[in-house]
């Protein structure tokens, strides 16, 4: 990943641009519309900062472009098509079937408690994987291996976004307290 400071600077520039573009289209916005504009422009700025290199950024842009009122912003952001499902090849499937059949044979020799613990652990991992896929934009279309990579990248981008927003809040508080 690039230098975090350059990512923050690029995010801030794109976020301000998106906010200006959105506010120029809608002059009198309610509080709810302003909140939506801030979130949408932050999401699009964060996604466009990644330069279409991740599936989550493509999914964010695709989700935003579904709404016709967002066309003003998404038209200037590198677009993307909806994420495609990843299909497993038949060789991987047969390989995993062989492993499962071997495990079944070995399960006879394991103590009952160990089999139950293994089953519970597997179900827990599946449940958490489904939850992670639902949290990550475009995650429902990802295989487990790319899900981890994409999640790490998404968390890093969110962290940069939060840091930029904190700096803006701090700067605005200082301007209010010291209006000189």
């Amino acid at each position: 990943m690039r230098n975090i400071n350059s990512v923050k600077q690029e995010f801030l520039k794109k976020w301000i641009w998106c906010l200006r573009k959105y506010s120029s289209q809608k002059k009198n916005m309610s509080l709810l519309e302003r909140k939506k504009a801030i979130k949408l422009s932050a999401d699009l700025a964060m996604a466009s900062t990644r330069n279409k290199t991740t599936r989550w950024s493509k999914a964010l842009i695709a989700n935003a472009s579904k709404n016709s009122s967002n066309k003003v912003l998404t038209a200037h952001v590198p677009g993307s098509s909806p994420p495609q499902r990843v299909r497993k090849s038949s060789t991987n499937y047969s390989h995993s079937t062989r492993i499962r059949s071997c495990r079944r044979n070995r399960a006879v020799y394991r103590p009952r408690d160990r089999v139950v613990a293994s089953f519970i652990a597997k179900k827990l991992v599946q449940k958490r994987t489904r939850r992670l896929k639902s949290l990550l934009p475009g995650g429902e279309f990802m295989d487990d291996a790319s899900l981890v990579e994409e999640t790490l990248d998404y968390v890093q981008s969110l962290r940069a976004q939060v840091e930029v927003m904190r700096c803006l809040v701090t700067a605005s508080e200082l301007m209010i307290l010291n209006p000189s």
Side-chain angles (χ1 to χ4, degrees), residues 21-36:
K21 192 74 169 170
Y22 197 90
S23 64
S24 70
Q25 296 297 316
K26 294 188 175 189
K27 297 293 180 192
N28 297 324
M29 287 190 279
S30 68
L31 186 62
L32 187 61
E33 287 176 319
R34 285 183 190 160
K35 178 184 168 189
K36 178 187 169 200

Side-chain angles (χ1 to χ4, degrees), residues 57-96:
S57 63
K58 293 175 190 177
L60 270 177
I61 295 168
N63 289 340
S65 65
K66 288 178 185 175
N67 188 338
S68 60
S69 65
N70 300 338
K71 295 288 184 192
V72 174
L73 295 177
T74 57
H76 295 88
V77 174
S80 68
S81 58
Q84 301 296 317
R85 288 194 181 273
V86 177
R87 293 184 180 159
K88 294 183 179 179
S89 67
S90 59
T91 56
N92 289 344
Y93 177 73
S94 63
H95 178 68
S96 63

Side-chain angles (χ1 to χ4, degrees), residues 2 5 11-12 25 34 39 41 58-59 75 78 83 87 89 103 120 125 129 132 148 155 160 163 165 171:
R2 299 181 323 206
N5 288 328
F11 166 75
L12 181 59
Q25 296 297 316
R34 285 183 190 160
K39 178 167 180 9
S41 58
K58 293 175 190 177
R87 293 184 180 159
S89 67
R103 286 184 185 154
I120 292 171
V125 168
T129 301
L132 186 57
V148 172
V155 168
E163 288 177 22
M165 290 179 171

